[in-house]
Amino acid sequence: MALRGVDALVITDRSNITYLTGYTAKSAYVPQAVVISIQQEEPTFILRKMDAPAALHETFMARDKVIGYPEALVGDPDVDGYDAIIDFVIDVGPSNRGVGLEIGGLFAPSAEKFKARLPRARIVDCTGAVTRIRMVKSDLEISRMREAAAITDAGIMRASEIIRAGVREVDAVSEIMKTLVRGANGKPGTWLATPYFITSPRTGAAHITWTEDILRRGSQVNLEIAGVRHGYTAPMSRTFSIGRPSDRLRRVHEAQMAGLQAGLGAVRAGRTCHDVARAIYGTLDKKGIKKESRCGYPIGIDWMEKTASLKEGDLTVLKPNMTFHLHLGNWAIEEDFGYLISESIRVTESGVEVLTSAPRQLFELPSAA
Amino acid sequence: MALRGVDALVITDRSNITYLTGYTAKSAYVPQAVVISIQQEEPTFILRKMDAPAALHETFMARDKVIGYPEALVGDPDVDGYDAIIDFVIDVGPSNRGVGLEIGGLFAPSAEKFKARLPRARIVDCTGAVTRIRMVKSDLEISRMREAAAITDAGIMRASEIIRAGVREVDAVSEIMKTLVRGANGKPGTWLATPYFITSPRTGAAHITWTEDILRRGSQVNLEIAGVRHGYTAPMSRTFSIGRPSDRLRRVHEAQMAGLQAGLGAVRAGRTCHDVARAIYGTLDKKGIKKESRCGYPIGIDWMEKTASLKEGDLTVLKPNMTFHLHLGNWAIEEDFGYLISESIRVTESGVEVLTSAPRQLFELPSAA
């Protein structure tokens, strides 16, 4: 904060709030902020009154550092929770100081409101400041992610048991969800990230999910799931074939597997995101496969961190305990054909720890239950 | 558009995109827009390349009206998908025209980018324009919401079977999820809205969910769920008591039931949101119960519509086929004690249709399985 010349920092990104406080309740659809002020020893969490009890239950914060703003600020076209947050900022420090905001994640009218109501303050854009710090995990965070990864693994294995010709997609996916919530090793999922369960002929699409159909012999399922432990995720993708995979699918799988191996081999503290991407694209090129999308992104709280990308030109240097979803997802092979394989990984001094551990294969499943 | 003086309207709100096109894929974490231009007969959907196949699968749009922008625009600090969207706006019309944006839902840097890259255009804030139109549903939309409501009902009834002392919270909630996905009357859930399953002593919190604990005799469960059909939701809340409810809980339940009845009795085309809220607060006051939060909000696509509120002072006039979550949720009774009861409703000429139909009661469940 001193480096950026701010003596109040207003954190509104919901994942950053989780990082700073432990709060995971899903209340970010209305304004809320953790305000860190050099005038005060402890941060203050300002949120909607009906959500304040969740902050008291979930966080370390003292009772007088959790402020529930009145319900009258909800659903009013003229005022909202940001007015309470700005009132607090005005109350705790001089009006002409530097105030740090995560402007990149504020809706335009809210950013304007901060500027209009703090006319003498110097507004400093601190978007990404906390998010970048989150990139290197503590050992405690890593242990949560290992727990999440074990749940993800269990979900993939359950999928391999339940995906069969003749089964309704919703019956398969609801079994997978059940596993993701019941958890693994006595550690339940603490939230459900709804699975992407994408079947032929829609496997070229990245973010749709199941249909009302019945799984068929010859169909392909692209599954992308993530276990969740106290906000932390460990995503993973696998591709399933009901019956013998087509030659096209088998060829793509072999190329993408080679790409994944090359990517894993390139990960090490001191290398860059670019280096990892280069290793993957180079291998795919040799195998005659074009992949246009990036090869992954940092993970942690709430799935994706908006910081680096595993793509060419991203010179972010890898450090121990950075974590990524190393994603060989390739949706655009043809409009109706895509393929997925990915792992959640941790960067180590000497290489990589793969957090997810379900078999790294194209699952070939029996046509009949 | 003519009234607002715009000849290009850029729709970025994900629920409005669903409304206009049928698209429900979960890709709104990167820029996407439906652009309606008076220069063109049909709207154009510009979205990330890996999501374009989903638009072709899910919408009515012609192939040349779905534009997938390059993956290079993802994860780059300097450019993003809005550059592709703005390029399109520039291409299809004169530079000095009126361009409508949903500024209220654009992050501040994105709103700035539109202004900077369209310097001769007159930017018109059209936030809420489409959202307000969505308030009155078509009969087809109502039929989707009835299907969603039937799923919600099934989820509540499953909860009443599975919530027992000695059961893990995650086992109960995963069974409820299974019901919400498998659906009702042969109509599966097309997405899962993760349930709020809030147990003693956290029932004063609105948006946390299950814990790793085991349900206990004497515990209370506040459940808020919604079935989903092709984007449309029908939420509902009920409160469950394992064993005999306390006198406090019973008293609150009776007061809130009376409030709910008063609210339902006040709904009719021509009345206002204020009228409904007044009926509820007046009844609660007589029963000695204070409820600070609003009494509900419009529903449809993606749960909550950001338009009117069932609160005092909101003079929005009710019209036939408006739909609301009439919510007697009262979280702030005490810090560790809240109570929920709610229904999804449709306004009719002469009164109200309650879409949800699970028994309107405080569920008293056996202590033992």
Side-chain angles (χ1 to χ4, degrees), chain B residues 1-297:
Chain B
M1 289 171 64
L3 273 175
R4 290 167 185 263
V6 300
D7 58 0
L9 180 57
V10 181
I11 299 299
T12 46
D13 178 277
R14 68 172 185 171
S15 305
N16 288 341
I17 289 175
T18 299
Y19 181 70
L20 294 174
T21 71
Y23 182 81
T24 64
K26 304 299 173 184
S27 54
Y29 68 96
V30 290
Q32 56 186 24
V34 170
V35 180
I36 301 143
S37 166
I38 59 164
Q39 274 81 25
Q40 305 209 318
E41 187 70 26
E42 297 282 337
T44 300
F45 192 1
I46 301 146
L47 73 173
R48 187 179 181 181
K49 192 167 180 180
M50 67 166 67
D51 296 311
L56 295 173
H57 284 293
E58 291 199 311
T59 78
F60 65 88
M61 303 179 86
R63 187 159 293 270
D64 65 334
K65 296 297 180 186
V66 173
I67 299 177
Y69 62 73
E71 292 292 334
L73 296 181
V74 175
D76 187 307
D78 300 320
V79 290
D80 67 14
Y82 285 118
D83 288 288
I85 292 162
I86 295 167
D87 287 344
F88 179 83
V89 171
I90 291 170
D91 282 351
V92 294
S95 61
N96 63 345
R97 75 202 138 140
V99 175
L101 300 180
E102 296 180 306
I103 292 178
L106 285 176
F107 291 130
S110 306
E112 288 304 317
K113 179 176 282 189
F114 274 97
K115 286 173 193 162
R117 291 205 50 208
L118 296 166
R120 297 186 57 214
R122 200 167 39 80
I123 302 287
V124 179
D125 186 2
C126 293
T127 308
V130 173
T131 317
R132 287 232 157 234
I133 292 170
R134 282 165 47 206
M135 286 186 77
V136 175
K137 270 65 183 174
S138 70
D139 291 342
L140 180 61
E141 289 177 289
I142 294 293
S143 74
R144 287 286 170 272
M145 293 180 73
R146 287 202 188 99
E147 292 166 1
I151 296 172
T152 310
D153 290 335
I156 294 289
M157 297 320 292
R158 185 71 186 122
S160 74
E161 294 165 356
I162 195 82
I163 294 173
R164 295 289 185 273
V167 172
R168 289 197 308 169
E169 292 188 18
V170 289
D171 290 332
V173 78
S174 63
E175 276 299 319
I176 295 165
M177 288 178 185
K178 193 167 168 171
T179 302
L180 293 175
V181 172
R182 297 178 71 177
N185 310 321
K187 306 283 187 188
T190 57
W191 182 253
L192 180 79
T194 304
Y196 296 100
F197 182 100
I198 304 176
T199 53
S200 311
R202 316 201 313 167
T203 57
H207 296 104
I208 49 177
T209 190
W210 66 86
T211 74
E212 303 177 34
D213 291 344
I214 288 168
L215 294 165
R216 288 184 182 80
R217 177 193 301 255
S219 275
Q220 177 185 330
V221 181
N222 288 1
L223 184 64
E224 183 165 359
I225 60 176
V228 184
R229 287 286 297 166
H230 303 296
Y232 288 83
T233 64
M236 177 185 225
S237 308
R238 287 291 184 271
T239 298
F240 301 79
S241 172
I242 303 177
R244 273 184 66 79
S246 67
D247 286 349
R248 176 177 74 164
L249 177 53
R250 202 184 298 267
R251 250 190 342 264
V252 167
H253 165 70
E254 280 163 19
Q256 303 267 149
M257 275 285 280
L260 179 60
Q261 290 290 0
L264 289 171
V267 174
R268 181 191 303 175
R271 297 252 175 88
T272 64
C273 287
H274 171 90
D275 295 334
V276 177
R278 224 13 266 150
I280 294 171
Y281 290 123
T283 303
L284 292 181
D285 280 350
K286 275 185 220 153
K287 302 274 184 183
I289 294 283
K290 187 171 143 47
K291 171 177 159 62
E292 196 187 322
S293 56
R294 61 183 174 177
C295 303
Y297 43 81

Side-chain angles (χ1 to χ4, degrees), chain A residues 9-25 28 32-36 43 45 59-61 101-105 125-135 137 141 231-232 300-307:
Chain A
L9 179 58
V10 181
I11 299 299
T12 46
D13 178 277
R14 70 175 184 170
S15 306
N16 288 342
I17 289 175
T18 300
Y19 181 71
L20 294 174
T21 71
Y23 182 82
T24 64
Q32 55 187 24
V34 170
V35 179
I36 301 144
F45 193 1
T59 78
F60 65 89
M61 303 179 86
L101 300 179
E102 295 180 306
I103 293 178
D125 186 2
C126 292
T127 308
V130 173
T131 317
R132 287 232 158 234
I133 292 169
R134 282 166 47 205
M135 286 186 77
K137 269 66 183 174
E141 289 178 290
Y232 287 84
I301 299 165
D302 291 332
W303 204 307
M304 185 180 70
E305 292 175 359
K306 285 184 189 168
T307 50

